[in-house]
């Protein structure tokens, strides 16, 4: 189910941000970091999980059973980098000359769309 982040409560948004910033956090630390009780922390995680925004995996941490909460993979939209069938010349590590043929062609393809 695709859920807009605008539809999240303040607590859910804070929880999602924490999970994304850390790249993954144990549920036993999650509620402590959010400064909520464990019951509310569990509800937040459950809600984010049901909405498909986080994943959880059973694990043992500090000798206790808990969940590792990680961000759910997001579908990325690369269409903004495309002009026709050409990928933006700004993708990569090389420096781009704004007067180069590759850049000019990409801009022309963008204009024709």
């Amino acid at each position: 189910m695709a859920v807009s982040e605008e539809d999240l409560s303040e607590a859910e948004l804070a929880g999602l941000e924490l999970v994304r910033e850390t790249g993954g956090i144990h549920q036993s630390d999650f509620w402590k970091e959010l400064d909520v009780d464990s019951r509310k922390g569990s509800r937040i995680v459950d809600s984010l999980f049901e909405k498909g925004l986080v994943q959880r995996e059973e694990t043992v941490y500090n000798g206790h059973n808990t969940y590792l909460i990680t961000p759910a993979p997001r579908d990325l939209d690369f269409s903004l980098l495309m002009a026709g069938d050409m990928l933006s010349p700004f993708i990569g590590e090389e420096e781009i000359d704004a007067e180069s043929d590759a850049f000019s062609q990409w801009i022309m393809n963008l204009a024709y769309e």
Side-chain angles (χ1 to χ4, degrees):
M1 167 196 320
V3 173
S4 170
E5 291 180 22
E6 296 169 357
D7 297 331
L8 299 179
S9 70
E10 194 173 310
E12 290 170 329
L13 201 52
L16 181 59
E17 187 175 316
L18 175 62
V19 172
R20 286 181 176 164
E21 283 176 1
T22 60
I25 187 168
H26 291 96
Q27 187 164 328
S28 54
D29 291 335
F30 176 85
W31 58 271
K32 294 173 189 172
E33 288 290 323
L34 288 180
D35 196 27
V36 297
D37 61 47
S38 62
R39 187 174 178 167
K40 183 169 182 173
S42 293
R43 286 188 190 141
I44 294 168
V45 169
D46 288 344
S47 177
L48 294 173
F49 179 75
E50 289 172 9
K51 292 174 181 174
L53 298 171
V54 299
Q55 296 176 329
R56 61 184 173 193
E57 177 183 332
E58 285 187 46
T59 187
V60 175
Y61 176 64
N62 288 338
H64 296 91
N65 292 335
T66 188
Y67 287 103
L68 177 62
I69 312 302
T70 57
R74 295 188 259 181
D75 291 331
L76 301 177
D77 180 11
F78 294 102
S79 66
L80 296 175
L81 301 174
M82 301 297 293
D85 62 352
M86 289 183 66
L87 183 63
S88 168
F90 292 105
I91 303 302
E93 295 182 16
E94 57 197 56
E95 194 156 326
I96 298 299
D97 177 6
E99 296 180 19
S100 74
D101 288 338
F103 179 69
S104 297
Q105 185 63 44
W106 187 76
I107 291 294
M108 292 303 292
N109 282 351
L110 198 57
Y112 287 129
E113 286 187 358

mmCIF file of all heavy atoms in Angstrom, residues 29-72:
data_model
loop_
_atom_site.group_PDB
_atom_site.id
_atom_site.type_symbol
_atom_site.label_atom_id
_atom_site.label_comp_id
_atom_site.label_asym_id
_atom_site.label_seq_id
_atom_site.Cartn_x
_atom_site.Cartn_y
_atom_site.Cartn_z
ATOM 1 N N ASP A 29 15.624 0.180 21.302
ATOM 2 C CA ASP A 29 16.247 1.511 21.326
ATOM 3 C C ASP A 29 15.352 2.562 20.672
ATOM 4 O O ASP A 29 15.440 3.747 20.981
ATOM 5 C CB ASP A 29 17.600 1.488 20.606
ATOM 6 C CG ASP A 29 18.650 0.703 21.358
ATOM 7 O OD1 ASP A 29 18.527 0.584 22.592
ATOM 8 O OD2 ASP A 29 19.590 0.209 20.712
ATOM 9 N N PHE A 30 14.512 2.103 19.749
ATOM 10 C CA PHE A 30 13.643 2.994 18.981
ATOM 11 C C PHE A 30 12.789 3.878 19.887
ATOM 12 O O PHE A 30 12.793 5.090 19.772
ATOM 13 C CB PHE A 30 12.753 2.130 18.055
ATOM 14 C CG PHE A 30 11.728 2.883 17.273
ATOM 15 C CD1 PHE A 30 12.054 3.473 16.063
ATOM 16 C CD2 PHE A 30 10.410 2.978 17.722
ATOM 17 C CE1 PHE A 30 11.096 4.146 15.317
ATOM 18 C CE2 PHE A 30 9.452 3.640 16.988
ATOM 19 C CZ PHE A 30 9.798 4.234 15.784
ATOM 20 N N TRP A 31 12.064 3.252 20.798
ATOM 21 C CA TRP A 31 11.149 4.025 21.647
ATOM 22 C C TRP A 31 11.922 4.915 22.620
ATOM 23 O O TRP A 31 11.457 5.999 22.969
ATOM 24 C CB TRP A 31 10.148 3.126 22.345
ATOM 25 C CG TRP A 31 10.694 2.043 23.220
ATOM 26 C CD1 TRP A 31 11.027 0.772 22.845
ATOM 27 C CD2 TRP A 31 10.949 2.114 24.621
ATOM 28 N NE1 TRP A 31 11.480 0.054 23.918
ATOM 29 C CE2 TRP A 31 11.436 0.855 25.032
ATOM 30 C CE3 TRP A 31 10.803 3.116 25.568
ATOM 31 C CZ2 TRP A 31 11.794 0.574 26.343
ATOM 32 C CZ3 TRP A 31 11.147 2.841 26.891
ATOM 33 C CH2 TRP A 31 11.642 1.584 27.255
ATOM 34 N N LYS A 32 13.115 4.479 23.024
ATOM 35 C CA LYS A 32 13.928 5.316 23.917
ATOM 36 C C LYS A 32 14.400 6.572 23.187
ATOM 37 O O LYS A 32 14.377 7.669 23.753
ATOM 38 C CB LYS A 32 15.127 4.525 24.440
ATOM 39 C CG LYS A 32 14.740 3.379 25.353
ATOM 40 C CD LYS A 32 15.949 2.532 25.705
ATOM 41 C CE LYS A 32 15.524 1.264 26.429
ATOM 42 N NZ LYS A 32 16.628 0.329 26.626
ATOM 43 N N GLU A 33 14.827 6.391 21.942
ATOM 44 C CA GLU A 33 15.292 7.535 21.142
ATOM 45 C C GLU A 33 14.159 8.523 20.873
ATOM 46 O O GLU A 33 14.394 9.726 20.798
ATOM 47 C CB GLU A 33 15.882 7.056 19.811
ATOM 48 C CG GLU A 33 17.214 6.372 19.936
ATOM 49 C CD GLU A 33 18.343 7.319 20.314
ATOM 50 O OE1 GLU A 33 18.348 8.479 19.850
ATOM 51 O OE2 GLU A 33 19.219 6.890 21.078
ATOM 52 N N LEU A 34 12.944 8.019 20.714
ATOM 53 C CA LEU A 34 11.793 8.887 20.463
ATOM 54 C C LEU A 34 11.233 9.481 21.754
ATOM 55 O O LEU A 34 10.345 10.334 21.702
ATOM 56 C CB LEU A 34 10.682 8.124 19.749
ATOM 57 C CG LEU A 34 10.925 7.772 18.290
ATOM 58 C CD1 LEU A 34 9.728 7.020 17.726
ATOM 59 C CD2 LEU A 34 11.215 9.010 17.464
ATOM 60 N N ASP A 35 11.734 8.985 22.896
ATOM 61 C CA ASP A 35 11.269 9.448 24.210
ATOM 62 C C ASP A 35 9.775 9.184 24.401
ATOM 63 O O ASP A 35 9.012 10.060 24.782
ATOM 64 C CB ASP A 35 11.597 10.933 24.418
ATOM 65 C CG ASP A 35 11.500 11.335 25.883
ATOM 66 O OD1 ASP A 35 11.688 10.464 26.757
ATOM 67 O OD2 ASP A 35 11.219 12.523 26.148
ATOM 68 N N VAL A 36 9.395 7.932 24.055
ATOM 69 C CA VAL A 36 8.028 7.467 24.289
ATOM 70 C C VAL A 36 8.126 6.152 25.049
ATOM 71 O O VAL A 36 9.183 5.530 25.103
ATOM 72 C CB VAL A 36 7.233 7.276 22.969
ATOM 73 C CG1 VAL A 36 7.065 8.600 22.240
ATOM 74 C CG2 VAL A 36 7.882 6.242 22.069
ATOM 75 N N ASP A 37 7.011 5.703 25.634
ATOM 76 C CA ASP A 37 7.060 4.419 26.329
ATOM 77 C C ASP A 37 7.062 3.286 25.308
ATOM 78 O O ASP A 37 6.778 3.483 24.129
ATOM 79 C CB ASP A 37 5.914 4.284 27.338
ATOM 80 C CG ASP A 37 4.529 4.349 26.713
ATOM 81 O OD1 ASP A 37 4.292 3.663 25.699
ATOM 82 O OD2 ASP A 37 3.670 5.071 27.256
ATOM 83 N N SER A 38 7.419 2.083 25.777
ATOM 84 C CA SER A 38 7.576 0.952 24.860
ATOM 85 C C SER A 38 6.270 0.603 24.151
ATOM 86 O O SER A 38 6.274 0.192 22.989
ATOM 87 C CB SER A 38 8.116 -0.269 25.596
ATOM 88 O OG SER A 38 7.224 -0.681 26.605
ATOM 89 N N ARG A 39 5.157 0.788 24.824
ATOM 90 C CA ARG A 39 3.859 0.480 24.213
ATOM 91 C C ARG A 39 3.580 1.407 23.024
ATOM 92 O O ARG A 39 3.177 0.962 21.954
ATOM 93 C CB ARG A 39 2.772 0.613 25.271
ATOM 94 C CG ARG A 39 1.429 0.160 24.805
ATOM 95 C CD ARG A 39 0.449 0.198 25.945
ATOM 96 N NE ARG A 39 -0.861 -0.207 25.487
ATOM 97 C CZ ARG A 39 -1.838 -0.504 26.265
ATOM 98 N NH1 ARG A 39 -1.694 -0.452 27.576
ATOM 99 N NH2 ARG A 39 -2.999 -0.855 25.767
ATOM 100 N N LYS A 40 3.803 2.703 23.233
ATOM 101 C CA LYS A 40 3.585 3.656 22.135
ATOM 102 C C LYS A 40 4.597 3.418 21.018
ATOM 103 O O LYS A 40 4.263 3.486 19.837
ATOM 104 C CB LYS A 40 3.676 5.099 22.630
ATOM 105 C CG LYS A 40 3.391 6.098 21.527
ATOM 106 C CD LYS A 40 3.219 7.499 22.027
ATOM 107 C CE LYS A 40 2.882 8.410 20.856
ATOM 108 N NZ LYS A 40 2.552 9.752 21.274
ATOM 109 N N GLY A 41 5.843 3.105 21.391
ATOM 110 C CA GLY A 41 6.863 2.805 20.393
ATOM 111 C C GLY A 41 6.470 1.612 19.539
ATOM 112 O O GLY A 41 6.649 1.628 18.318
ATOM 113 N N SER A 42 5.913 0.579 20.168
ATOM 114 C CA SER A 42 5.455 -0.605 19.435
ATOM 115 C C SER A 42 4.316 -0.252 18.490
ATOM 116 O O SER A 42 4.260 -0.750 17.358
ATOM 117 C CB SER A 42 4.988 -1.691 20.398
ATOM 118 O OG SER A 42 6.069 -2.192 21.134
ATOM 119 N N ARG A 43 3.419 0.595 18.938
ATOM 120 C CA ARG A 43 2.296 1.019 18.073
ATOM 121 C C ARG A 43 2.806 1.788 16.854
ATOM 122 O O ARG A 43 2.291 1.620 15.747
ATOM 123 C CB ARG A 43 1.325 1.889 18.858
ATOM 124 C CG ARG A 43 0.479 1.115 19.818
ATOM 125 C CD ARG A 43 -0.582 2.012 20.415
ATOM 126 N NE ARG A 43 -1.250 1.341 21.504
ATOM 127 C CZ ARG A 43 -1.633 1.923 22.622
ATOM 128 N NH1 ARG A 43 -1.406 3.212 22.814
ATOM 129 N NH2 ARG A 43 -2.246 1.232 23.561
ATOM 130 N N ILE A 44 3.796 2.639 17.065
ATOM 131 C CA ILE A 44 4.359 3.415 15.955
ATOM 132 C C ILE A 44 4.990 2.468 14.935
ATOM 133 O O ILE A 44 4.751 2.571 13.732
ATOM 134 C CB ILE A 44 5.382 4.456 16.460
ATOM 135 C CG1 ILE A 44 4.686 5.526 17.308
ATOM 136 C CG2 ILE A 44 6.125 5.095 15.292
ATOM 137 C CD1 ILE A 44 5.636 6.419 18.085
ATOM 138 N N VAL A 45 5.794 1.530 15.436
ATOM 139 C CA VAL A 45 6.449 0.569 14.543
ATOM 140 C C VAL A 45 5.408 -0.261 13.808
ATOM 141 O O VAL A 45 5.503 -0.465 12.594
ATOM 142 C CB VAL A 45 7.430 -0.339 15.313
ATOM 143 C CG1 VAL A 45 7.897 -1.496 14.443
ATOM 144 C CG2 VAL A 45 8.620 0.462 15.810
ATOM 145 N N ASP A 46 4.392 -0.743 14.521
ATOM 146 C CA ASP A 46 3.330 -1.533 13.886
ATOM 147 C C ASP A 46 2.663 -0.755 12.765
ATOM 148 O O ASP A 46 2.418 -1.282 11.678
ATOM 149 C CB ASP A 46 2.275 -1.967 14.911
ATOM 150 C CG ASP A 46 2.770 -3.051 15.851
ATOM 151 O OD1 ASP A 46 3.801 -3.687 15.561
ATOM 152 O OD2 ASP A 46 2.115 -3.257 16.901
ATOM 153 N N SER A 47 2.364 0.507 13.030
ATOM 154 C CA SER A 47 1.696 1.339 12.032
ATOM 155 C C SER A 47 2.592 1.553 10.804
ATOM 156 O O SER A 47 2.134 1.426 9.664
ATOM 157 C CB SER A 47 1.318 2.687 12.652
ATOM 158 O OG SER A 47 0.744 3.523 11.686
ATOM 159 N N LEU A 48 3.869 1.864 11.034
ATOM 160 C CA LEU A 48 4.795 2.070 9.921
ATOM 161 C C LEU A 48 4.992 0.783 9.120
ATOM 162 O O LEU A 48 5.081 0.811 7.892
ATOM 163 C CB LEU A 48 6.145 2.590 10.433
ATOM 164 C CG LEU A 48 6.129 3.995 11.051
ATOM 165 C CD1 LEU A 48 7.489 4.315 11.665
ATOM 166 C CD2 LEU A 48 5.734 5.048 10.018
ATOM 167 N N PHE A 49 5.014 -0.348 9.822
ATOM 168 C CA PHE A 49 5.155 -1.646 9.167
ATOM 169 C C PHE A 49 3.926 -1.946 8.309
ATOM 170 O O PHE A 49 4.043 -2.352 7.146
ATOM 171 C CB PHE A 49 5.371 -2.740 10.213
ATOM 172 C CG PHE A 49 5.493 -4.110 9.627
ATOM 173 C CD1 PHE A 49 6.652 -4.501 8.975
ATOM 174 C CD2 PHE A 49 4.440 -5.020 9.720
ATOM 175 C CE1 PHE A 49 6.769 -5.774 8.425
ATOM 176 C CE2 PHE A 49 4.548 -6.286 9.180
ATOM 177 C CZ PHE A 49 5.715 -6.660 8.518
ATOM 178 N N GLU A 50 2.738 -1.731 8.863
ATOM 179 C CA GLU A 50 1.499 -1.982 8.126
ATOM 180 C C GLU A 50 1.376 -1.094 6.894
ATOM 181 O O GLU A 50 0.788 -1.493 5.894
ATOM 182 C CB GLU A 50 0.292 -1.773 9.041
ATOM 183 C CG GLU A 50 0.135 -2.857 10.087
ATOM 184 C CD GLU A 50 -0.935 -2.550 11.120
ATOM 185 O OE1 GLU A 50 -1.691 -1.566 10.948
ATOM 186 O OE2 GLU A 50 -1.009 -3.301 12.122
ATOM 187 N N LYS A 51 1.943 0.096 6.962
ATOM 188 C CA LYS A 51 1.897 1.029 5.834
ATOM 189 C C LYS A 51 3.020 0.775 4.830
ATOM 190 O O LYS A 51 3.120 1.459 3.828
ATOM 191 C CB LYS A 51 1.963 2.465 6.352
ATOM 192 C CG LYS A 51 0.717 2.842 7.123
ATOM 193 C CD LYS A 51 0.826 4.207 7.756
ATOM 194 C CE LYS A 51 -0.474 4.506 8.528
ATOM 195 N NZ LYS A 51 -0.411 5.746 9.281
ATOM 196 N N GLY A 52 3.867 -0.217 5.123
ATOM 197 C CA GLY A 52 4.927 -0.583 4.192
ATOM 198 C C GLY A 52 6.123 0.348 4.199
ATOM 199 O O GLY A 52 6.921 0.336 3.257
ATOM 200 N N LEU A 53 6.282 1.144 5.248
ATOM 201 C CA LEU A 53 7.374 2.121 5.289
ATOM 202 C C LEU A 53 8.622 1.599 5.986
ATOM 203 O O LEU A 53 9.708 2.144 5.799
ATOM 204 C CB LEU A 53 6.890 3.410 5.968
ATOM 205 C CG LEU A 53 5.755 4.111 5.230
ATOM 206 C CD1 LEU A 53 5.181 5.237 6.073
ATOM 207 C CD2 LEU A 53 6.240 4.636 3.887
ATOM 208 N N VAL A 54 8.456 0.565 6.806
ATOM 209 C CA VAL A 54 9.605 -0.059 7.465
ATOM 210 C C VAL A 54 9.471 -1.572 7.369
ATOM 211 O O VAL A 54 8.387 -2.099 7.136
ATOM 212 C CB VAL A 54 9.750 0.359 8.958
ATOM 213 C CG1 VAL A 54 9.955 1.861 9.105
ATOM 214 C CG2 VAL A 54 8.576 -0.120 9.791
ATOM 215 N N GLN A 55 10.601 -2.233 7.566
ATOM 216 C CA GLN A 55 10.623 -3.681 7.662
ATOM 217 C C GLN A 55 11.094 -4.023 9.063
ATOM 218 O O GLN A 55 11.784 -3.230 9.702
ATOM 219 C CB GLN A 55 11.583 -4.272 6.635
ATOM 220 C CG GLN A 55 11.170 -4.007 5.212
ATOM 221 C CD GLN A 55 12.184 -4.527 4.215
ATOM 222 O OE1 GLN A 55 13.372 -4.573 4.479
ATOM 223 N NE2 GLN A 55 11.702 -4.920 3.046
ATOM 224 N N ARG A 56 10.727 -5.202 9.553
ATOM 225 C CA ARG A 56 11.214 -5.610 10.863
ATOM 226 C C ARG A 56 11.589 -7.084 10.813
ATOM 227 O O ARG A 56 10.950 -7.884 10.148
ATOM 228 C CB ARG A 56 10.201 -5.317 11.958
ATOM 229 C CG ARG A 56 8.891 -6.006 11.822
ATOM 230 C CD ARG A 56 7.932 -5.575 12.905
ATOM 231 N NE ARG A 56 6.633 -6.157 12.613
ATOM 232 C CZ ARG A 56 5.528 -5.799 13.205
ATOM 233 N NH1 ARG A 56 5.551 -4.872 14.137
ATOM 234 N NH2 ARG A 56 4.388 -6.363 12.888
ATOM 235 N N GLU A 57 12.663 -7.366 11.528
ATOM 236 C CA GLU A 57 13.198 -8.720 11.551
ATOM 237 C C GLU A 57 13.487 -9.092 12.992
ATOM 238 O O GLU A 57 14.126 -8.317 13.724
ATOM 239 C CB GLU A 57 14.492 -8.750 10.728
ATOM 240 C CG GLU A 57 15.207 -10.056 10.714
ATOM 241 C CD GLU A 57 16.519 -9.953 9.937
ATOM 242 O OE1 GLU A 57 16.642 -9.127 9.035
ATOM 243 O OE2 GLU A 57 17.423 -10.729 10.275
ATOM 244 N N GLU A 58 13.015 -10.255 13.390
ATOM 245 C CA GLU A 58 13.271 -10.705 14.759
ATOM 246 C C GLU A 58 14.767 -10.904 14.959
ATOM 247 O O GLU A 58 15.455 -11.415 14.079
ATOM 248 C CB GLU A 58 12.543 -12.022 15.037
ATOM 249 C CG GLU A 58 11.057 -11.857 15.227
ATOM 250 C CD GLU A 58 10.393 -13.150 15.660
ATOM 251 O OE1 GLU A 58 10.925 -13.812 16.577
ATOM 252 O OE2 GLU A 58 9.357 -13.473 15.058
ATOM 253 N N THR A 59 15.259 -10.466 16.123
ATOM 254 C CA THR A 59 16.676 -10.589 16.421
ATOM 255 C C THR A 59 16.877 -10.621 17.932
ATOM 256 O O THR A 59 15.950 -10.342 18.689
ATOM 257 C CB THR A 59 17.461 -9.420 15.785
ATOM 258 O OG1 THR A 59 18.855 -9.635 15.944
ATOM 259 C CG2 THR A 59 17.091 -8.093 16.405
ATOM 260 N N VAL A 60 18.067 -10.956 18.341
ATOM 261 C CA VAL A 60 18.441 -10.893 19.751
ATOM 262 C C VAL A 60 19.436 -9.753 19.884
ATOM 263 O O VAL A 60 20.410 -9.669 19.141
ATOM 264 C CB VAL A 60 19.065 -12.225 20.229
ATOM 265 C CG1 VAL A 60 19.544 -12.092 21.666
ATOM 266 C CG2 VAL A 60 18.068 -13.355 20.091
ATOM 267 N N TYR A 61 19.160 -8.858 20.821
ATOM 268 C CA TYR A 61 20.003 -7.682 21.027
ATOM 269 C C TYR A 61 20.172 -7.492 22.530
ATOM 270 O O TYR A 61 19.190 -7.447 23.264
ATOM 271 C CB TYR A 61 19.334 -6.469 20.377
ATOM 272 C CG TYR A 61 20.030 -5.152 20.585
ATOM 273 C CD1 TYR A 61 21.303 -4.927 20.062
ATOM 274 C CD2 TYR A 61 19.408 -4.124 21.281
ATOM 275 C CE1 TYR A 61 21.925 -3.710 20.240
ATOM 276 C CE2 TYR A 61 20.021 -2.904 21.462
ATOM 277 C CZ TYR A 61 21.282 -2.702 20.942
ATOM 278 O OH TYR A 61 21.905 -1.496 21.108
ATOM 279 N N ASN A 62 21.407 -7.418 22.972
ATOM 280 C CA ASN A 62 21.714 -7.310 24.400
ATOM 281 C C ASN A 62 21.041 -8.421 25.205
ATOM 282 O O ASN A 62 20.530 -8.192 26.303
ATOM 283 C CB ASN A 62 21.323 -5.942 24.961
ATOM 284 C CG ASN A 62 22.240 -4.831 24.480
ATOM 285 O OD1 ASN A 62 23.372 -5.077 24.079
ATOM 286 N ND2 ASN A 62 21.748 -3.609 24.519
ATOM 287 N N GLY A 63 20.987 -9.613 24.618
ATOM 288 C CA GLY A 63 20.429 -10.767 25.312
ATOM 289 C C GLY A 63 18.917 -10.832 25.354
ATOM 290 O O GLY A 63 18.356 -11.694 26.029
ATOM 291 N N HIS A 64 18.238 -9.943 24.648
ATOM 292 C CA HIS A 64 16.772 -9.920 24.647
ATOM 293 C C HIS A 64 16.242 -10.037 23.224
ATOM 294 O O HIS A 64 16.848 -9.528 22.280
ATOM 295 C CB HIS A 64 16.242 -8.611 25.264
ATOM 296 C CG HIS A 64 16.611 -8.468 26.700
ATOM 297 N ND1 HIS A 64 17.765 -7.833 27.106
ATOM 298 C CD2 HIS A 64 15.986 -8.886 27.827
ATOM 299 C CE1 HIS A 64 17.839 -7.852 28.426
ATOM 300 N NE2 HIS A 64 16.770 -8.496 28.893
ATOM 301 N N ASN A 65 15.080 -10.672 23.092
ATOM 302 C CA ASN A 65 14.410 -10.738 21.794
ATOM 303 C C ASN A 65 13.818 -9.374 21.477
ATOM 304 O O ASN A 65 13.175 -8.754 22.320
ATOM 305 C CB ASN A 65 13.305 -11.790 21.798
ATOM 306 C CG ASN A 65 13.843 -13.189 21.911
ATOM 307 O OD1 ASN A 65 14.985 -13.445 21.546
ATOM 308 N ND2 ASN A 65 13.039 -14.101 22.414
ATOM 309 N N THR A 66 14.047 -8.921 20.279
ATOM 310 C CA THR A 66 13.514 -7.636 19.830
ATOM 311 C C THR A 66 13.416 -7.692 18.310
ATOM 312 O O THR A 66 13.616 -8.738 17.704
ATOM 313 C CB THR A 66 14.399 -6.462 20.311
ATOM 314 O OG1 THR A 66 13.757 -5.217 20.008
ATOM 315 C CG2 THR A 66 15.780 -6.490 19.690
ATOM 316 N N TYR A 67 13.089 -6.581 17.712
ATOM 317 C CA TYR A 67 13.055 -6.468 16.256
ATOM 318 C C TYR A 67 14.109 -5.467 15.817
ATOM 319 O O TYR A 67 14.353 -4.464 16.489
ATOM 320 C CB TYR A 67 11.692 -5.947 15.762
ATOM 321 C CG TYR A 67 10.580 -6.945 15.849
ATOM 322 C CD1 TYR A 67 9.637 -6.868 16.866
ATOM 323 C CD2 TYR A 67 10.442 -7.944 14.898
ATOM 324 C CE1 TYR A 67 8.594 -7.777 16.946
ATOM 325 C CE2 TYR A 67 9.392 -8.855 14.965
ATOM 326 C CZ TYR A 67 8.482 -8.764 15.992
ATOM 327 O OH TYR A 67 7.453 -9.661 16.061
ATOM 328 N N LEU A 68 14.700 -5.742 14.658
ATOM 329 C CA LEU A 68 15.526 -4.750 13.985
ATOM 330 C C LEU A 68 14.613 -4.067 12.983
ATOM 331 O O LEU A 68 14.041 -4.719 12.103
ATOM 332 C CB LEU A 68 16.714 -5.396 13.280
ATOM 333 C CG LEU A 68 17.596 -4.435 12.486
ATOM 334 C CD1 LEU A 68 18.235 -3.387 13.410
ATOM 335 C CD2 LEU A 68 18.674 -5.189 11.715
ATOM 336 N N ILE A 69 14.447 -2.775 13.136
ATOM 337 C CA ILE A 69 13.566 -1.987 12.265
ATOM 338 C C ILE A 69 14.438 -1.306 11.218
ATOM 339 O O ILE A 69 15.362 -0.564 11.562
ATOM 340 C CB ILE A 69 12.800 -0.915 13.075
ATOM 341 C CG1 ILE A 69 12.172 -1.512 14.339
ATOM 342 C CG2 ILE A 69 11.775 -0.208 12.203
ATOM 343 C CD1 ILE A 69 11.229 -2.642 14.108
ATOM 344 N N THR A 70 14.156 -1.557 9.961
ATOM 345 C CA THR A 70 14.921 -0.954 8.865
ATOM 346 C C THR A 70 13.974 -0.266 7.890
ATOM 347 O O THR A 70 12.802 -0.634 7.796
ATOM 348 C CB THR A 70 15.744 -2.021 8.102
ATOM 349 O OG1 THR A 70 14.867 -3.038 7.621
ATOM 350 C CG2 THR A 70 16.811 -2.636 8.996
ATOM 351 N N PRO A 71 14.471 0.724 7.161
ATOM 352 C CA PRO A 71 13.608 1.382 6.167
ATOM 353 C C PRO A 71 13.228 0.409 5.063
ATOM 354 O O PRO A 71 14.052 -0.412 4.647
ATOM 355 C CB PRO A 71 14.494 2.506 5.601
ATOM 356 C CG PRO A 71 15.724 2.549 6.420
ATOM 357 C CD PRO A 71 15.815 1.283 7.202
ATOM 358 N N ALA A 72 12.000 0.481 4.618
ATOM 359 C CA ALA A 72 11.560 -0.339 3.483
ATOM 360 C C ALA A 72 12.156 0.265 2.215
ATOM 361 O O ALA A 72 12.291 1.489 2.111
ATOM 362 C CB ALA A 72 10.039 -0.353 3.407
#
